[in-house]
């Protein structure tokens, strides 16, 4: 870890504080207003309304302070009000909020593209195009791959999550709640077996063998020469923080290269220092042809990016890519500030430190309780998979009960997983050791109550 890294500063006291019962009266009143006007289809996992957020703390309208171990789903890695991001956004918002890059361009967009060319793996020439959401980035990565290769088929994997738009619903694996009732879905999408070490039938299978299993199925069911893109999350997010066995990603990437297939790494959740490196592919030295990025990129301002090989991105005709808001100037200013904060505070190092502090504690709890099948993840993208004691049977009830018990004590944690039995930890990377430790105390007690 760099010794010259600066420390984060906080506006709010970094301390958990639940003043009474919650949701308190103000949150309850807001919930009533909400029920009358907000669609039921958008559900919230925590029943309180936010007043302020900073560092590792979320404060609600009734004065309760929660420890945030979710970062708004891996978004506020630099905190929800990092002073550098706030200043950059304020400065930009006072000059112009929008002109549309496709009409009258501005420097921020170009500067973000320059940074992404530097930070993403590989020294080859790169191009970038900016959008608003992760799903939009994935959609456009597929558009680019199809346009550049002249092929149509796309491979996605079991347990994948790529978004909720029509094309990305088709790429996402889990039906309920993401797909059920929303079809028909786009064609030419093929799903292949993932490397999921904890749930492999043959626990001895290596990463390379798991890759060969997928490659064989692709060759038989699709044909390599029909395949435009192979799309994969280097660590699966929504699907359960599944870390593929070592060798899986490099073998797939190498095979894609041999066959002229565009290897797209969806780093929307795993990117931007979350796993202890700038990107999760860096852990195995994989250089994707195209990467999609969003969540952690701009401290909560809506921004996403597709960065990849110049020859692929430039194969698309002028006007073929874009969108009214893509690369909004305030979001670009925020992204530049986020990148600076991540470097100055060595947040990749912080993510590794969070792993060092957290994993041994979770492993000890696993040994003591018998409800944890596996502790996994990298950096500050960590998870525990809950099982029925003495088996590998998914224990979604325990995951739900643990999340509820943590919340009751003022700790926000998220669940995920194809079987709903995974607790995922995504703390802001700027969380203090003390606050993280307090949150883990609460989590451990909640797990022990399930044993
Ligand atoms: C969240 C996520 C998406 C979708 O991003 P949105 O901004 O919600 O559209 C895509 N891919 C991965 C890996 C994600 O985690």
């Amino acid at each position: 870890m760099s010794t010259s890294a600066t420390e984060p500063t906080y506006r709010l006291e970094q301390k958990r504080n639940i003043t009474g019962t919650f949701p308190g009266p103000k949150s309850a009143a807001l919930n009533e207003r909400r029920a009358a006007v907000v669609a039921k289809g958008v559900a919230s996992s925590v029943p309180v309304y936010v007043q302020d957020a900073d560092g590792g703390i979320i404060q609600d309208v009734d004065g309760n302070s929660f420890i945030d171990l979710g970062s708004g789903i891996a978004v506020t890695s630099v905190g929800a009000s990092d002073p550098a991001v706030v200043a950059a956004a304020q400065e930009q918002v006072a000059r112009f909020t929008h002109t549309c890059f496709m009409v009258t361009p501005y420097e921020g967009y170009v500067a973000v593209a320059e940074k992404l060319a530097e930070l993403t793996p590989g020294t080859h020439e790169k191009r970038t195009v900016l959008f608003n959401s992760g799903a939009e980035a994935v959609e456009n990565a597929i558009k680019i791959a199809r346009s550049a290769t002249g092929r149509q088929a796309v491979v996605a994997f079991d347990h994948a999550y790529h978004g909720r738009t029509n094309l990305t619903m088709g790429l996402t694996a889990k039906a309920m709640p993401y797909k059920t009732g929303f079809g028909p879905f786009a064609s030419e999408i093929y799903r292949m077996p993932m490397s999921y070490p904890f749930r492999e039938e043959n626990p001895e299978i290596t990463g390379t063998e798991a890759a060969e299993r997928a490659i064989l199925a692709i060759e038989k069911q699709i044909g390599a020469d029909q395949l435009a893109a192979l799309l994969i999350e280097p660590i699966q997010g929504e699907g359960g923080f599944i870390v593929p066995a070592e060798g899986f990603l490099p073998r797939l990437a190498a095979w894609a290269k041999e066959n002229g297939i565009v290897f797209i790494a969806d780093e929307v959740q795993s990117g931007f220092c979350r796993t202890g490196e700038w990107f999760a592919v860096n852990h195995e030295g994989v250089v994707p042809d195209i990467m999609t990025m969003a969540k952690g990129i701009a401290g909560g301002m809506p921004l996403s990016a597709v960065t990849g090989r110049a020859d692929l991105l430039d194969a698309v005709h002028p006007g073929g890519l874009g969108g009214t808001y893509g690369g909004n100037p305030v979001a670009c200013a925020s992204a530049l500030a986020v990148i600076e904060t991540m470097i100055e505070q060595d947040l990749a190092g912080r993510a590794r430190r969070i792993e060092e502090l957290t994993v041994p504690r979770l492993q000890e709890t696993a040994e003591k309780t018998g409800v944890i099948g596996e502790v996994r993840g990298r950096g500050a993208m960590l998870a525990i998979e809950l099982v029925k004691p003495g088996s590998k049977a998914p224990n979604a009830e325990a995951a739900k009960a643990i999340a509820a018990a943590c919340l009751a004590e003022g700790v926000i944690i998220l669940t995920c997983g194809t079987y709903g039995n995974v607790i995922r930890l995504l703390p802001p990377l700027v969380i203090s050791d003390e606050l993280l430790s307090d949150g883990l105390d609460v989590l451990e007690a909640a797990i022990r109550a399930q044993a």
Side-chain angles (χ1 to χ4, degrees), residues 133-136 138 161-163 233 266 268-269 294-295:
S133 68
E136 218 185 337
V138 173
Y161 183 86
H162 297 292
E233 303 156 83
D266 182 354
V268 165
Q269 190 158 165
K295 293 194 167 95

Side-chain angles (χ1 to χ4, degrees), residues 170-192:
L171 295 162
T172 289
K174 193 174 179 176
M176 197 63 185
Y178 306 123
K179 303 169 75 163
T180 303
F182 300 138
F185 304 114
S187 58
E188 285 307 307
I189 293 169
Y190 299 85
R191 191 164 310 286
M192 290 295 150

Side-chain angles (χ1 to χ4, degrees), residues 227-309:
L227 190 55
L230 203 152
L231 170 69
I232 190 161
E233 303 156 83
I235 296 179
Q236 289 184 319
E238 205 59 39
F241 281 29
I242 298 163
V243 185
E246 196 183 329
F248 183 72
L249 295 170
R251 177 68 193 116
L252 287 179
W255 176 80
K257 193 182 209 105
E258 285 158 24
N259 289 280
I261 297 158
V262 180
F263 184 85
I264 305 172
D266 182 354
E267 292 254 14
V268 165
Q269 190 158 165
S270 55
F272 283 88
C273 298
R274 177 53 54 187
T275 67
E277 294 276 356
W278 274 101
F279 298 99
V281 288
N282 296 23
H283 291 281
E284 287 194 79
V286 170
V287 179
D289 298 309
I290 291 180
M291 261 173 49
T292 54
M293 295 157 272
K295 293 194 167 95
I297 195 174
M301 297 301 290
L303 187 73
S304 66
V306 178
T307 297
R309 275 168 42 198

